Amino acid sequence: MKELMPLEEALRIVLENVKPLGTERVHIYQALGRFLAEEVRADTDKPLFDNSAMDGYALRFEDIEGASEENPVSLKVIGEVSAGESFDGKVEKGTAVKIFTGAPIPAGADTVVPVEYTELKGEEVLIKRAFPKGANVRLRGEDLKEGDIVLEKGKEIRPYEVGMLASVNRVFVEVFRRPRVALLSTGDELLDLGEPQTKPSQIRSSNHHMLYALAQRAGAQPFQLGIAKDDPEELLEVLKTCVDYDIFITTGGVSMGEKDYVQYLVKEVGVEVKFHKLRIKPAKPVLFGTYGKNKLFFGLPGNPVSCGVAFDLLVYPAIRTMLGAKEVFKKKIKALLLKDFKRRDAKRREFARAKVFYEDGTYLCEPLEKQQSHMLTTLTDADGYMIVKEGVDFLKKGETVEVILF
Ligand code: AMP
Ligand code: MG
């Protein structure tokens, strides 16, 4: 029998067939989770003018040298300035201006004393503590100078970056396009949401909905194609629409069963199959091919857990690459194994579903008791995949294991 392909080789094949998609200009509200295709620069100095970091009094630091609770310094209050306004006069020796956070520092002043160290007495203010020159003043350009790069090309846009884009007055921004991902479940036994059960042998399909959410969370634009029967003609019609998408994903029908047509039909729509079946558990019968111009086809197994694992291991990095991400894999951690893990067949690399805890600076990993690939609970109860290498049939409690987090 032919040796099954190891995961590394499969990943290498997938990644050598995928590259970032073209770019598009989107509103900053549509930019979340995307990757910048341009570098963004500061439109002005930030801050644009010297301003107060506190509510208090703007004054000359020389005037309050030596001031203390017992020996307060008295200054004449000559006016006030709030955020968004400015003070026309000048702070001369022996005077102060009442100031609010964010308001411009008046001419002549160099220091702000917070209101809690002062006491207003009529037109005079008592200053009860000395401050060094420049205290509580935010200087022009101390964060950024006009023209500084604020966001590098390739940076992921998180909510903080949306804030930064707004602060440099950007409404639209150039990002990599999201891959269009088609999702299709196949199988005569499948019922879609709300469809009545007319035979006990029917099962409720979860795969194409789980994949919708997985694709969405990965940053792709999912397209729901629903369910196709195990009927070559019907399947072929749907598969022909693959030209409309960057990635086409089917589930089911890629194993050894007589009705597993997907592997044959994809060739008829121009898919060049690069691999079929990997040395992994679950998700052994996974098919990958390319078609058109840099488009990817994934035939994922029908078992829901296998389907999820195959997506996380193979489809996720492809989507992230298309999006322009630098880090395309899911986060991996080292954790202490909380109980022995045994398995009978050690030929394949296993991705055992596990709970992960974080305690006193250490990750702890507890593989679930049930590990069968038709049990969706093994995904919903888990936080990640514990990696069990080829050839390993036993892991001892207390060993360090690697876990891929969901
Ligand atoms: P297959 O790969 O088509 O042989 O399917 C393997 C197993 O997964 C069978 O028990 C199917 O009933 C089940 N299955 C296939 N497709 C789905 C789906 N979309 N949702 C849930 N289970 C499925
Ligand atoms: Mg099937």
Side-chain angles (χ1 to χ4, degrees):
M1 210 182 81
K2 211 169 123 245
E3 278 274 303
L4 292 173
M5 184 186 282
L7 180 65
E8 280 80 9
E9 195 177 336
L11 270 173
R12 187 180 55 71
I13 294 171
V14 171
L15 292 178
E16 77 187 16
N17 282 289
V18 58
K19 55 178 203 219
L21 298 174
T23 69
E24 62 181 350
R25 221 170 161 68
V26 298
H27 189 274
I28 56 171
Y29 283 5
Q30 259 70 61
L32 189 65
R34 312 282 287 267
F35 293 82
L36 277 173
E38 60 166 327
E39 61 187 24
V40 176
R41 293 173 180 272
D43 60 333
T44 64
D45 288 355
K46 309 275 167 194
L48 187 50
F49 49 88
D50 296 353
N51 67 87
S52 178
M54 292 283 190
D55 296 326
Y57 290 86
L59 42 75
R60 294 151 26 97
F61 97 101
E62 303 103 293
D63 287 354
I64 59 161
E65 268 177 314
S68 66
E69 195 80 40
E70 301 75 38
N71 278 312
V73 171
S74 176
L75 299 174
K76 182 159 191 259
V77 181
I78 57 170
E80 71 170 52
V81 56
S82 20
E85 292 177 352
S86 54
F87 181 73
D88 291 336
K90 189 170 177 204
V91 173
E92 307 277 5
K93 188 171 171 28
T95 68
V97 166
K98 188 172 183 195
I99 196 164
F100 297 91
T101 306
I105 304 293
D110 53 28
T111 301
V112 171
V113 172
V115 70
E116 46 274 42
Y117 302 105
T118 68
E119 188 182 333
L120 192 61
K121 284 249 164 94
E123 295 191 347
E124 302 277 309
V125 63
L126 295 180
I127 307 292
K128 300 179 172 176
R129 231 189 87 174
F131 279 84
K133 184 173 183 175
N136 304 307
V137 174
R138 304 162 170 165
L139 293 175
R140 172 174 186 149
E142 74 175 6
D143 186 10
L144 295 164
K145 297 268 184 286
E146 181 180 336
D148 280 355
I149 296 177
V150 294
L151 300 172
E152 299 275 0
K153 187 173 167 177
K155 185 128 185 23
E156 181 174 6
I157 301 179
R158 303 166 301 171
Y160 317 108
E161 282 71 28
V162 174
M164 177 58 93
L165 287 164
S167 87
V168 299
N169 199 26
R170 291 291 298 265
V171 184
F172 293 95
V173 66
E174 196 77 13
V175 294
F176 289 97
R177 192 163 69 70
R178 297 160 72 195
R180 294 163 55 87
V181 179
L183 308 161
L184 177 74
S185 280
T186 71
D188 286 336
E189 76 280 30
L190 301 179
L191 289 174
D192 213 336
L193 293 170
E195 277 189 84
Q197 182 123 21
T198 53
K199 291 189 282 184
S201 56
Q202 294 168 319
I203 67 151
R204 193 68 61 189
S205 171
S206 53
N207 289 352
H208 58 297
H209 301 296
M210 177 174 68
L211 287 170
Y212 190 96
L214 283 167
Q216 201 170 33
R217 189 176 64 173
Q221 192 181 357
F223 290 84
Q224 188 53 268
L225 306 188
I227 296 171
K229 292 264 182 271
D230 291 318
D231 166 47
E233 274 169 38
E234 182 186 336
L235 263 172
L236 191 60
E237 278 314 299
V238 192
L239 290 176
K240 278 182 187 161
T241 67
C242 68
V243 289
D244 298 336
Y245 308 98
D246 300 299
I247 300 179
F248 199 99
I249 304 179
T250 61
T251 84
V254 283
S255 300
M256 303 304 282
E258 257 163 53
K259 293 198 162 193
D260 292 343
Y261 297 120
V262 172
Q263 52 204 297
Y264 311 108
L265 293 174
V266 288
K267 295 177 182 156
E268 291 190 33
V269 299
V271 173
E272 193 185 320
V273 175
K274 305 278 188 187
F275 60 76
H276 183 191
K277 294 195 174 62
L278 300 179
R279 207 196 302 164
I280 57 175
K281 184 185 176 187
K284 178 171 92 170
V286 53
L287 180 144
F288 170 74
T290 57
Y291 64 97
K293 200 167 168 259
N294 303 318
K295 293 167 181 267
L296 311 180
F297 182 91
F298 290 93
L300 306 187
N303 273 313
V305 180
S306 309
C307 171
V309 170
F311 181 96
D312 286 339
L313 295 181
L314 296 160
V315 186
Y316 181 86
I319 289 177
R320 304 298 286 176
T321 304
M322 286 183 169
L323 276 169
K326 291 197 186 106
E327 187 45 70
V328 301
F329 296 108
K330 294 202 154 248
K331 196 174 159 196
K332 210 190 270 180
I333 55 159
K334 283 192 161 45
L336 288 187
L337 187 57
L338 283 177
K339 60 182 189 192
D340 291 353
F341 181 87
K342 286 193 204 69
R343 59 175 184 160
R344 258 177 277 140
D345 176 5
K347 283 196 207 65
R348 290 181 273 161
R349 184 174 309 180
E350 184 160 349
F351 295 89
R353 277 76 67 212
K355 283 187 190 296
V356 175
F357 308 95
Y358 187 71
E359 240 173 59
D360 300 330
T362 309
Y363 284 107
L364 306 170
C365 169
E366 183 187 349
L368 303 179
E369 281 300 326
K370 295 182 188 170
Q371 289 286 345
Q372 281 101 309
S373 60
H374 64 285
M375 300 174 168
L376 256 187
T377 49
T378 78
L379 286 175
T380 55
D381 287 348
D383 305 300
Y385 304 120
M386 179 178 86
I387 303 173
V388 190
K389 289 258 168 73
E390 297 87 334
V392 174
D393 60 3
F394 179 69
L395 289 168
K396 201 168 173 44
K397 177 180 168 178
E399 270 190 57
T400 299
V401 292
E402 281 194 313
V403 183
I404 298 171
L405 295 179
F406 289 166

